């Protein structure tokens, strides 16, 4: 069974640009969540999508957005990049219907903003 | 709102020694607790989870954790450390106070485990 796949793994952008990251969840999982990981702030929840609908959103500015497609694949977009957006962005999937269900994480997309 | 505190950002042990990583949670409703491990340049991998079925939870790679409601703790232990255990460990909590948003976990700040030969 294939795991959570994130692309690209590494990318470098400059301030003001925008970036789109992609996540393919485990087959059959309908919930996809995104997290930002930085040395200073740790792991912070960005948003969750379930059946193409945003189910929850963390405390991030509107420059951070996401969407989910009918095949459960998800993308997140960051517009007008700032230096502070440099981070490891992790995608996680779960079935979405059980409070005890674990999250399965991808290897992340490491974004560097220059 | 729930929160997680991991005591000690860095823990160092000798190979073969006991590993103890501390996690305390704060939640006004019954929590569901998780321990994840992250190796360099990788995502998070589940070690074990507490779902109220049993207070002592056994996970992968010889790790276990005990849920203590009176102490609001969920410490991770391993009797004998191995060099391959060197990684960063995260404790996380989920409660049903978040409604049906099961994709949201609240993580602690992480503990880096170093294992000396």
């Amino acid at each position: 069974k294939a795991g959570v796949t994130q692309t690209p793994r590494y990318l470098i952008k400059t301030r003001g640009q925008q970036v789109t990251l992609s996540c393919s969840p485990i087959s059959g999982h309908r919930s996809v969540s995104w997290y930002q990981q930085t040395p200073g702030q740790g792991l912070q929840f960005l948003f969750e999508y379930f059946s193409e609908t945003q189910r929850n959103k963390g405390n991030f500015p509107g420059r951070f957005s996401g969407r989910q497609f009918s095949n459960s694949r998800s993308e997140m977009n960051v517009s007008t990049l700032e230096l502070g957006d440099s981070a490891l962005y992790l995608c996680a999937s779960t079935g979405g219907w059980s409070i005890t269900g674990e999250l399965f994480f991808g290897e992340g997309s490491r974004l560097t903003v220059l | 709102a729930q929160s997680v505190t991991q005591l000690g950002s860095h823990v160092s042990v000798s190979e073969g020694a006991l590993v103890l990583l501390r996690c305390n949670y704060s939640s006004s409703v019954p929590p569901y607790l998780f321990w994840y491990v992250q190796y360099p340049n990788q995502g998070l991998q589940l070690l074990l989870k507490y779902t109220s079925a049993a207070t002592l939870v056994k996970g992968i790679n010889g790790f276990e954790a005990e849920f203590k409601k009176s102490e609001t703790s969920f410490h991770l232990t391993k009797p004998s450390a191995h060099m391959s255990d060197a990684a960063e460990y995260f404790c996380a909590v989920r409660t049903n106070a978040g409604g049906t948003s099961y994709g949201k976990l609240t993580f602690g700040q992480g503990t880096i485990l170093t294992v000396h030969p």
Side-chain angles (χ1 to χ4, degrees), chain B residues 25-72:
Chain B
Y25 69 90
S26 173
S27 176
S28 58
V29 298
Y32 299 93
L33 296 158
F34 304 80
W35 273 102
Y36 280 88
V37 61
Q38 185 177 35
Y39 298 98
N41 299 317
Q42 293 188 25
L44 278 69
Q45 178 185 7
L46 181 74
L47 282 174
L48 49 82
K49 63 180 180 181
Y50 167 73
T51 60
S52 76
T55 57
L56 182 62
V57 182
K58 294 188 183 299
I60 63 171
N61 301 338
F63 285 94
E64 63 180 40
E66 186 172 7
F67 174 73
K68 292 186 177 181
K69 184 178 179 181
S70 61
E71 299 177 8
T72 62

Side-chain angles (χ1 to χ4, degrees), chain A residues 9-10 31 33 35 37 39-43 45 48 55-56 88 90 94 96-107 110, chain B residues 32 34 36 38 41-46 49-51 88 90 94-109:
Chain A
R9 288 292 314 280
Y10 302 91
S31 166
S33 300
Y35 289 80
Q37 185 177 22
Q41 299 299 315
L43 281 153
F45 173 78
E48 177 194 10
R55 193 154 73 169
N56 201 352
L88 181 66
L90 291 165
T94 186
W97 46 79
S98 171
I99 195 170
T100 62
E102 68 188 86
L103 297 187
F104 293 83
F105 284 84
E107 293 191 310
R110 184 167 294 281
Chain B
Y32 299 93
F34 304 80
Y36 280 88
Q38 185 177 35
N41 299 317
Q42 293 188 25
L44 278 69
Q45 178 185 7
L46 181 74
K49 63 180 180 181
Y50 167 73
T51 60
E88 188 163 16
F90 293 92
R94 177 199 284 144
T95 72
N96 60 12
T100 57
S101 181
Y102 300 145
K104 180 180 180 181
L105 295 180
T106 300
F107 286 88
Q109 285 297 102

Side-chain angles (χ1 to χ4, degrees), chain A residues 30-50:
Chain A
R30 295 168 63 186
S31 166
V32 174
S33 300
W34 290 89
Y35 289 80
Q36 182 195 65
Q37 185 177 22
T38 60
Q41 299 299 315
L43 281 153
Q44 293 188 287
F45 173 78
L46 280 157
F47 29 66
E48 177 194 10
Y49 286 86
F50 180 83

